[in-house]
Amino acid sequence: MKKGLLFGLLATAAGAAYLLSKAANKKEEEKTIITLSSDEEEPPVQPMNEDSAETPESEMAQEEPAEEEPQYSREVQEINLMYPYLKPAFISASLKEQLDFDQNYPEGSLITIYHDIRFPAVEDLITFVRIIKEHDYQINEADGDQSLTISKDLIVEKGKILSDILNVSNQVCCLNGQYHAYRLEAK
């Protein structure tokens, strides 16, 4: 059943790419810290690309818990329907990164995208590894604490980077894992 869910989500990637391309036209200049985990004890994760310098944890912005649930755009709500395991805040922050992707990685260029993830349960980790291997991802690092770094080479198309981030993070959350960060490397 979980495998079928992944295939269904991947099938909606074309629709997501359309919605994401609409988001790329909106100009957002501020960098956003993207968090996914529902555990409040974990620090927020800063997506890193090859041009970004690492920011010390003391300088990372900590978001205060909101008293009221923020209202998200219709676009975020529509994407959230396709990626039901992701928080709207994560989707919204990811959409803001789309402009950076378009500026730093032109269409037709070759990149490698890395995803840092962790699974508390070994069974979920094994299921995830089976799924990603079917979709041409490579396991770059595997730690004894069920942490993985996976990667995949992509030829950049409009919305493809963001779609990959949303697909992988949604699948990780579907299997009760924690999506920590992504990073991009131009080839």
Side-chain angles (χ1 to χ4, degrees):
M1 167 115 175
K2 292 178 183 176
K3 210 179 216 184
L5 178 61
L6 176 66
F7 293 121
L9 292 174
L10 291 175
T12 62
Y18 171 75
L19 291 173
L20 297 174
S21 66
K22 284 178 34 180
N25 294 331
K26 295 180 182 174
K27 294 195 177 186
E28 298 283 339
E29 292 185 13
E30 73 181 48
K31 288 282 183 186
T32 304
I33 294 174
I34 297 178
T35 59
L36 182 64
S37 176
S38 61
D39 300 332
E40 293 181 15
E41 299 165 359
E42 288 191 29
V45 176
Q46 175 74 31
M48 303 293 287
N49 62 31
E50 67 178 352
D51 298 329
S52 299
E54 290 195 31
T55 304
E57 287 184 30
S58 61
E59 294 180 19
M60 294 180 83
Q62 296 284 338
E63 292 186 36
E64 295 292 322
E67 292 178 11
E68 295 180 17
E69 184 68 25
Q71 295 296 321
Y72 294 100
S73 69
R74 183 175 181 197
E75 182 176 33
V76 169
Q77 293 171 6
E78 289 173 357
I79 292 172
N80 196 215
L81 291 174
M82 291 184 280
Y83 300 100
Y85 294 95
L86 299 179
K87 293 180 180 179
F90 178 80
I91 294 169
S92 178
S94 297
L95 283 171
K96 291 177 184 176
E97 293 293 315
Q98 180 66 36
L99 271 176
D100 289 337
F101 300 153
D102 292 343
Q103 291 173 354
N104 295 326
Y105 307 100
E107 286 190 45
S109 62
L110 179 63
I111 64 161
T112 301
I113 186 166
Y114 296 90
H115 302 277
D116 299 321
I117 56 180
R118 182 180 183 285
F119 287 91
V122 174
E123 300 82 25
D124 294 331
L125 171 71
I126 292 169
T127 301
F128 180 77
V129 168
R130 285 183 187 146
I131 292 169
I132 63 163
K133 284 187 174 183
E134 291 175 6
H135 295 281
D136 301 323
Y137 285 90
Q138 302 297 316
I139 298 174
N140 297 83
E141 293 179 30
D143 295 329
D145 67 347
Q146 291 96 322
S147 293
L148 291 176
T149 298
I150 63 170
S151 67
K152 184 175 188 176
D153 290 338
L154 297 174
I155 295 176
V156 177
E157 296 174 13
K158 192 135 184 110
K160 192 168 186 175
I161 296 171
L162 186 56
S163 184
D164 188 75
I165 292 166
L166 295 175
N167 281 323
V168 171
S169 59
N170 192 67
Q171 185 62 48
V172 168
C173 291
C174 174
L175 294 171
N176 304 310
Q178 300 163 343
Y179 185 87
H180 292 288
Y182 67 89
R183 60 190 180 282
L184 304 170
E185 183 179 290
K187 293 280 185 167

